[in-house]
């Protein structure tokens, strides 16, 4: 379905029927498995990707499977890794567009990102009770830059509560093959790696606190694909390999200007000061002239986080823009809500506007203290290839497309995390001070 | 049966004293700082304590302390 608003987006009356988040999960249909395994293995062998298994002897479901997340290709490797078993795992509601039935019979359950969705935890409990694997892409989104994104503490608490083995599937090179910021064209690269490790046995879980479990899991899930590519001399010679990287690396470390970065072919460059860097075949950035501030995109990304953190600590972070909003009520697709305004500041997100359909106002407020991260998209395919911010409540999913000429959804994502951290750091300080 | 006080006591015990004061309009996540798992665990404790089962479709409506208290007062 395509309209003036883009693929899978329509105007007109709002949908009354919403995603059924509470529909019971379905185990991957047995008759699907041979075809699924065959296809997934073909995709895996295309990259000569080995799956190393550590401490996995005799491991059978039920267990919790945690995977790092760089691209849709992760799913193929996960299916190969857990064979001959199947998994129940959450998938973002927008993954269901146009293929809800297929994803449901593939063992997925829909999730609205970054919402305190208790029913999903009930699904986890039920799946494990039915001796299934419960798989979690704990970052809840694709990594923006090939380095592991924030993992909530709730994962450690869930593990402590369920007392089943915990397995981490850490995949290397998936970001190099299909980066979130890229053109999603086939980047031929071989030598990708996947390591499947039982990081915690039930006995070990009993002896550790939820925080200790959380740390152990986060350490096991850590990944930095550009560094891995360089250290292992994995060659990827796609001639447009840097195109899109400016979506992540939006601030120039040379002249400090924001939103003037761009990219072409193998180069990323600043349109304000003219400095440029080449992304070589081993994932390393090299300044074409002068000092190379960051050899790896992941270090540049960390530096950008520090700049955003300074703004948050100084209380000067603020983003406001006109925008339009597409609502995602169910898997049939988006409904154009209308034009409006988005504000993102120390309080959180505030989106207001007027509905195209009936001229009535619409509004969504997301409290910063309740949202530890946010999902953003670059050149979103169902949004006429524009950048957007995906805001969710337990009932609604809104894709918000800022109209400002200069902004970065990467900066908005980093600010969301740093504002959340700062709010809870202050509250904990106040609570401790009050307790004295 | 004073459900309101029960709730405060459960919150205080569950969070090891992290939560000492509770207002009816406090949002469980952004004001009291409960994450999704802690909410899930609290709901399990409430179900055990009052011997009820809270349906999945009700869960999204339990946003504030008042929502939980009112639901319990109507269903316990």
């Amino acid at each position: 379905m395509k309209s003036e608003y883009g693929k899978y987006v329509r105007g007109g009356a709002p949908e009354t029927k919403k995603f059924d988040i509470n529909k019971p999960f379905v185990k991957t249909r047995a008759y699907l498995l041979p075809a699924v395994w065959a296809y997934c293995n073909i995709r895996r062998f295309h990259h000569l990707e080995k799956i190393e298994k550590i401490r996995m002897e005799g491991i059978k479901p039920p267990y919790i499977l945690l995977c790092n997340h760089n691209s849709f290709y992760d799913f193929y490797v996960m299916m190969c890794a857990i064979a001959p078993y199947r998994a129940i795992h959450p998938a973002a509601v927008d993954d269901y567009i146009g293929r809800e039935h297929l994803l449901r019979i593939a063992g997925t359950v829909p999730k609205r990102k970054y919402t305190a969705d208790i029913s999903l935890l009930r699904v986890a409990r039920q799946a494990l009770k039915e001796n299934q694997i419960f798989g979690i892409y704990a970052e809840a989104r694709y990594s923006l830059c090939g380095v592991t994104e924030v993992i909530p503490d709730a994962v450690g608490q869930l593990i402590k509560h369920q007392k089943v083995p915990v397995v981490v599937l850490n995949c290397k090179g998936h970001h190099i093959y299909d980066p979130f910021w890229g053109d999603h064209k086939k980047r031929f690269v071989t030598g990708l790696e996947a390591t499947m490790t039982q990081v915690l046995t039930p006995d070990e879980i009993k002896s550790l606190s939820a925080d200790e479990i959380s740390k152990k899991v986060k350490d096991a899930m850590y990944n930095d694909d550009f560094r891995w590519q360089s250290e292992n001399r994995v060659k990827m010679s796609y001639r447009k390999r840097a195109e899109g990287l400016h979506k992540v690396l939006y601030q120039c470390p040379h002249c400090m200007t924001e939103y003037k970065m761009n990219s072409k072919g193998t180069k990323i460059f600043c349109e304000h000061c003219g400095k440029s860097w080449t992304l070589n075949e081993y994932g390393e950035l090299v300044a074409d002239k002068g000092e190379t501030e960051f050899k790896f995109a992941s270090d540049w990304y960390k530096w950008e986080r520090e700049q955003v953190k300074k703004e948050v600590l100084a209380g000067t972070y603020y983003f406001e823009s006109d925008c339009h909003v597409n609502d995602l009520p169910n898997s049939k697709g988006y409904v154009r809500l209308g034009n409006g305004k988005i504000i993102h500041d120390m309080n959180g997100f505030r989106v207001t506007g007027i509905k195209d359909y009936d001229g009535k106002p619409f509004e969504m407020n997301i409290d910063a203290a309740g949202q530890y991260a946010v999902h953003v998209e670059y050149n979103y395919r169902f949004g006429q290839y524009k950048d957007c911010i995906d805001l969710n409540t337990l009932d609604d999913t809104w894709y918000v497309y800022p109209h400002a000429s200069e902004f970065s959804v990467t900066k908005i994502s980093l600010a969301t995390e740093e504002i959340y951290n700062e709010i809870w750091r202050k509250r904990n300080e106040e609570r401790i001070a009050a307790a004295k | 049966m004073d459900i309101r006080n029960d709730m405060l006591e459960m919150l205080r015990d569950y969070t090891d004293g992290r939560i000492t004061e509770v207002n009816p309009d406090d949002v469980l996540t952004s004001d009291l700082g409960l994450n999704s798992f802690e909410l899930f665990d609290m709901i399990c404790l409430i179900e055990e304590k009052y011997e009820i089962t809270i349906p999945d479709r009700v869960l999204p409506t339990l946003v504030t302390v008042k929502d939980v208290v009112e639901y319990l007062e109507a269903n316990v």
Side-chain angles (χ1 to χ4, degrees), chain A residues 82-124:
Chain A
I82 64 173
Y85 304 109
R86 304 168 262 191
I88 305 298
H89 63 93
V93 286
D94 69 298
D95 279 337
Y96 285 74
I97 297 171
R99 53 184 180 181
E100 175 166 0
H101 180 65
L102 179 65
L103 256 68
R104 284 206 188 256
I105 64 173
T108 68
V109 286
K111 168 79 164 71
R112 295 187 193 279
K113 289 182 188 279
Y114 303 112
T115 57
D117 184 354
I118 309 172
S119 51
L120 179 65
L121 291 163
R122 281 186 164 176
V123 167

Side-chain angles (χ1 to χ4, degrees), chain A residues 172-190:
Chain A
K172 307 286 188 191
H174 291 198
H175 190 84
I176 306 309
Y177 163 57
D178 186 12
F180 184 55
W181 43 267
D183 54 16
H184 304 299
K185 297 260 181 11
K186 293 284 181 282
R187 296 170 177 233
F188 185 72
V189 56
T190 59

Side-chain angles (χ1 to χ4, degrees), chain A residues 34 67 127 193 196 230 243 281 286 298 331 352 363 376 378 390 420:
Chain A
C67 314
E193 296 172 3
M196 191 178 195
S230 168
E243 289 195 8
E281 292 174 328
V286 182
S298 40
S331 62
T352 53
E363 179 175 348
V376 296
Y378 304 134
D390 165 17
Y420 178 88

Side-chain angles (χ1 to χ4, degrees), chain A residues 241-277:
Chain A
R241 56 182 174 271
E243 289 195 8
L245 187 52
H246 67 282
K247 295 282 183 175
V248 186
L249 309 179
Y250 61 86
Q251 185 171 9
C252 175
H254 183 65
C255 68
M256 301 295 281
T257 306
E258 291 177 314
Y259 321 135
K260 290 293 185 190
M261 297 300 295
N262 208 338
S263 54
K264 187 71 180 168
T266 62
K267 294 189 184 300
I268 179 171
F269 48 89
C270 173
E271 291 176 332
H272 181 259
C273 69
K275 183 159 187 177
S276 66
W277 297 258

Side-chain angles (χ1 to χ4, degrees), chain A residues 326-339:
Chain A
N326 290 345
D327 174 27
L328 182 60
N330 55 46
S331 62
K332 282 193 274 181
Y334 293 90
V335 180
R336 176 65 163 242
L337 211 52
N339 290 321

Side-chain angles (χ1 to χ4, degrees), chain A residues 374-386:
Chain A
V374 70
H375 166 230
V376 296
E377 287 278 353
Y378 304 134
N379 305 325
Y380 188 53
R381 67 189 193 280
F382 296 149
Q384 297 171 313
Y385 297 95
K386 295 188 174 80

